[in-house]
Amino acid sequence: MNRFLTVTAVLMFSAQAAACGFRLDDGKLLRCGMKRVDVMALAGEPLSKDVDTLGIDTGEPVKGETTETWSYRLQGDIGGEYLVSLTLKAGKVVAISSKQLERI
């Protein structure tokens, strides 16, 4: 059973690592690990930015962890328009998700 969980975890991590990118119609790649300034250079200003800070109130001033979600409407390299969300932590992309909009 332990071996099964280990293999499953490795496969899930590999799939996430492989899926952490979005290729733009000009061939350039948005990928995990990019800094926010590099994302802006490739994709421009996002349609929206959401910022969430998670912290635990212990009565002492503590800096929480901030997560940003940037949303774009972009052309993909294989055609079509996509809604693309980038999750950033500490100023770097940690996750990318995309959904193709319906073609007319």
Side-chain angles (χ1 to χ4, degrees), residues 39-79:
V39 172
M40 293 285 285
L42 289 180
E45 187 70 30
L47 293 174
S48 69
K49 292 181 185 179
D50 294 317
V51 180
D52 296 315
T53 302
L54 179 64
I56 298 172
D57 185 1
T58 61
E60 298 289 325
V62 177
K63 184 176 179 182
E65 181 180 72
T66 300
T67 301
E68 296 179 66
T69 304
W70 291 9
S71 300
Y72 288 93
R73 192 173 187 147
L74 300 170
Q75 294 293 321
D77 70 329
I78 59 172

Side-chain angles (χ1 to χ4, degrees), residues 3 6-7 14 18-19 57 59 64 70 72 75 82-83 87 97 102:
R3 177 181 277 169
T6 302
V7 170
S14 298
D57 185 1
W70 291 9
Y72 288 93
Q75 294 293 321
Y82 293 79
L83 290 177
T87 303
S97 64
E102 291 183 40

Side-chain angles (χ1 to χ4, degrees), residues 7-27:
V7 170
T8 302
V10 168
L11 289 175
M12 286 174 46
F13 178 75
S14 298
Q16 285 179 331
C20 196
F22 181 82
R23 189 158 307 274
L24 301 168
D25 63 345
D26 63 1

